[in-house]
Amino acid sequence: MEVTLFVTRSLSDLKAYLDPADVVRLKNNALFSFDYAETPTSRTPRLYVLKSGHATSISTALETTGAITGTDADIAALRTFFVKETTFAAERAKEGDTSFEQALTCFSSAIYTGLLILCAGIMPLNPTLLGPSSLVGAFTFLAPLVNIAPIDFSKALPDPIQAHVSGYVIGTPGKDAPVVTDAALANFTLETVRLAAAYIDDDVTLALLTCRVALRHLFSLPVYTGTPFVLVGAYTAMASTSASAAGIEAYRFRVVNTVRLAFANRCLRSVTIERATSTFTLESGIAHLRLSCAGSLAFAALNESFDPLSFGLDTSSQQNKNETTVARCRSTSSAQANGLAFTGLDLVLTLPPETPALDANYRSLVLDEHASIPRASSFATHVPHQDLWFLSDQDGGTPEELGFRSMATPAIGAVPVSKGAHWYGLVFAVELVAGSNAEFLFAFQPDGVPYCGVRLAGAVGAMKAMLPATSLFGLRFRELSVGTFSQNGDLTYRIILRGLKATVLGMQLPEGACDIVLVARGGVLGWYAVYDVSGKEKHT
């Protein structure tokens, strides 16, 4: 060899030293067909870099005048390539993938000898090698780096050349690549962004696919504005070259960003998904992407004096005091001040060739009130309760079919949910007497109409219920409602049981109707009675 480091974009000039057609693993590769002709497949020029000596590394030579044989334009193009690909490899390393940095060690090693083909054309011989056709079928591929090494230039080159072939492949969607869309309901769109794969000879060592999934509907509501999921998936069947592998391939996707969705709804204002685990499977040729999400729900206050949904951004002057007070009671140090924390929201996306669809499972959603801070004027802050959970029409129909009875509140009339309608809500379990709970359901619907209902043990009619406090003592009442009142500028919630009668040893006391008002004071519910002895006069 007359030169130790040579760069050119002319294949004929390269052949004066080495012909790539003589490399066995390049010519007869079992995974890819390589196009290393002079016409590039991208705006980046195709370069051939031949290094035969051990005096210096390519990266060092790029900073040394006269260390590389070639035209100024070709040397500048090589320098641009090195900077660009080093940046790309560093970005991948931040995500835990160091394979691209390893592929570029040929630039930093002084003892490296071999041939680099930069920006070569490449095509998988097996269409499913890097993923199912539903995801990568419309991709075009480029090999930014083809590394043919080691080659011993100290003696005559053998024919054929038995050097290893390694590098990485970048795939991008073609101009006509479709965006997967749930056209019937427009619930989501899935867009493939980029595929990056590393290989050595006849083995793919890593394949990473980046996708974006944008939700268009959630909780039966159109998304007003939102950020998409960004998913990076590693392909598990990447090393197989057999056709029998088709149908068992899977990508192990992970979500790498926070997703925020806003809604133009009276009750639900936003959903923030802070983390999500994902599973991609192929079952009988049908691709499914499952996202199990965790984050927070932000609700609006229905009005200044009644806030049953309790959790969301609070701009009132009392909120700082409330956050300090409530946070002392929380077992976690990461309380959500702007929403109600949740886990277990499962979203399953069915992908082509089947009809795309989104199936959201709200039954698995679990609320974490202890990691959340309610608003200062909310029901959750003022009314002591035992449990809080999520309920929807997926749990068995309308609230009435689940045993709830609609009730009037300061902001909501006693209007039941229509049969077959979608609804979603929070259930607060409040202990009225020892051992007997009232379950308050505060729900929202896609049309923005809120719903308030209550469920008690022993319900016998729309306006009657029994509280079996003990085997000897019981309470029966005609109606239950929730209201608020302000005293000395402080908002207080009250629960009113109307037409109540107490039963002791089979006797009803008092003889007339009785109203009971439960007022939250000091973290407990206090009882205040208003009863009718004569039918004309009220006593307290």
Side-chain angles (χ1 to χ4, degrees):
M1 293 289 299
E2 297 180 0
V3 296
T4 58
L5 186 53
F6 171 62
V7 59
T8 182
R9 64 183 71 191
S10 169
L11 181 58
S12 59
D13 289 348
L14 172 67
K15 288 181 178 180
Y17 304 99
L18 184 152
D19 188 348
D22 295 334
V23 180
V24 175
R25 290 188 174 93
L26 187 67
K27 182 179 180 180
N28 300 320
N29 193 277
L31 298 181
F32 302 104
S33 63
F34 293 89
D35 176 14
Y36 50 86
E38 295 179 26
T39 303
T41 57
S42 70
R43 294 180 181 179
T44 303
R46 181 163 300 152
L47 297 175
Y48 309 95
V49 183
L50 191 148
K51 185 174 182 295
S52 62
H54 300 159
T56 186
S57 67
I58 300 175
S59 58
T60 301
L62 285 170
E63 304 302 323
T64 305
T65 302
I68 302 177
T69 301
T71 67
D72 291 343
D74 290 347
I75 295 173
L78 176 60
R79 183 179 293 109
T80 300
F81 172 89
F82 177 68
V83 172
K84 177 182 176 182
E85 296 305 309
T86 300
T87 302
F88 168 75
E91 292 174 352
R92 300 303 317 138
K94 290 179 181 179
E95 300 295 334
D97 170 29
T98 60
S99 60
F100 299 98
E101 282 188 334
Q102 294 171 1
L104 291 173
T105 57
C106 56
F107 279 82
S108 58
S109 172
I111 64 173
Y112 169 83
T113 58
L115 170 65
L116 301 178
I117 303 177
L118 309 183
C119 300
I122 192 169
M123 180 60 65
L125 297 177
N126 181 349
T128 63
L129 175 68
L130 300 176
S133 59
S134 59
L135 292 179
V136 300
F139 272 41
T140 57
F141 297 96
L142 176 72
L145 176 68
V146 180
N147 181 6
I148 304 169
I151 300 176
D152 185 359
F153 292 99
S154 63
K155 52 187 177 182
L157 296 180
D159 185 11
I161 299 173
Q162 298 293 339
H164 294 289
V165 176
S166 63
Y168 52 94
V169 180
I170 300 298
T172 54
K175 294 181 179 179
D176 298 326
V179 175
V180 175
T181 303
D182 181 357
L185 299 176
N187 283 329
F188 77 94
T189 59
L190 183 148
E191 179 184 5
T192 51
V193 179
R194 184 180 62 193
L195 186 145
Y199 64 92
I200 298 177
D201 293 334
D202 295 335
D203 291 315
V204 177
T205 57
L206 181 70
L208 297 176
L209 179 65
T210 301
C211 298
R212 285 194 290 258
V213 174
L215 297 181
R216 303 304 185 193
H217 278 77
L218 194 63
F219 295 100
S220 304
L221 298 172
V223 176
Y224 182 68
T225 60
T227 55
F229 289 95
V230 177
L231 299 100
V232 177
Y235 194 44
T236 60
M238 58 198 174
S240 175
T241 59
S242 65
S244 62
I248 65 171
E249 300 96 336
Y251 266 100
R252 291 193 298 268
F253 279 103
R254 54 193 176 88
V255 180
V256 298
N257 70 320
T258 297
V259 175
R260 293 181 175 85
L261 308 173
F263 305 92
N265 183 264
R266 179 185 177 187
C267 299
L268 181 64
R269 290 300 175 85
S270 66
V271 176
T272 300
I273 299 174
E274 298 171 349
R275 59 191 182 277
T277 58
S278 58
T279 306
F280 183 87
T281 59
L282 280 173
E283 300 173 3
S284 302
I286 302 175
H288 300 280
L289 176 62
R290 178 186 299 273
L291 302 173
S292 182
C293 306
S296 60
L297 307 171
F299 300 97
L302 297 185
N303 60 35
E304 293 182 356
S305 63
F306 187 63
D307 184 10
L309 294 171
S310 302
F311 299 89
L313 184 63
D314 192 341
T315 58
S316 69
S317 59
Q318 301 180 24
Q319 181 64 9
N320 289 337
K321 178 181 177 181
N322 182 58
E323 289 180 9
T324 302
T325 302
V326 176
R328 293 195 188 105
C329 305
R330 303 306 190 200
S331 60
T332 177
S333 61
S334 59
Q336 283 280 352
N338 296 331
L340 176 57
F342 71 87
T343 59
L345 172 60
D346 284 345
L347 308 175
V348 180
L349 287 69
T350 300
L351 306 178
E354 297 298 310
T355 302
L358 171 65
D359 179 22
N361 181 10
Y362 303 105
R363 296 185 301 275
S364 59
L365 192 151
V366 177
L367 302 177
D368 187 358
E369 186 180 7
H370 290 281
S372 312
I373 298 177
R375 285 184 288 261
S377 60
S378 69
F379 184 92
T381 296
H382 287 270
V383 179
H385 51 280
Q386 298 175 334
D387 299 302
L388 173 63
W389 65 91
F390 194 83
L391 204 64
S392 74
D393 59 281
Q394 290 186 350
D395 290 282
T398 66
E400 283 69 23
E401 290 172 330
L402 295 175
F404 289 90
R405 299 293 179 263
S406 60
M407 62 179 181
T409 68
I412 308 170
V415 180
V417 174
S418 301
K419 190 174 181 63
H422 295 298
W423 58 271
Y424 311 90
L426 311 180
V427 180
F428 294 82
V430 178
E431 187 177 57
L432 299 184
V433 297
S436 295
N437 289 346
E439 296 174 354
F440 292 91
L441 170 63
F442 303 122
F444 63 92
Q445 302 177 68
D447 59 7
V449 175
Y451 170 89
C452 289
V454 64
R455 179 171 66 185
L456 303 103
V460 295
M463 303 300 288
K464 295 182 179 181
M466 172 70 78
L467 290 176
T470 68
S471 58
L472 302 179
F473 172 74
L475 297 173
R476 181 184 298 274
F477 57 91
R478 184 182 70 254
E479 180 184 353
L480 186 151
S481 63
V482 175
T484 60
F485 68 92
S486 180
Q487 187 175 27
N488 298 324
D490 293 330
L491 185 69
T492 301
Y493 280 74
R494 59 186 178 184
I495 300 173
I496 305 174
L497 285 69
R498 302 185 186 279
L500 185 140
K501 294 182 179 181
T503 302
V504 179
L505 297 176
M507 299 181 294
Q508 290 187 353
L509 300 174
E511 296 179 357
C514 176
D515 294 348
I516 296 290
V517 181
L518 287 78
V519 180
R521 293 285 175 82
V524 297
L525 286 176
W527 285 64
Y528 302 86
V530 180
Y531 60 91
D532 180 7
V533 175
S534 64
K536 300 179 181 179
E537 195 173 355
K538 293 286 183 180
H539 300 266
T540 61

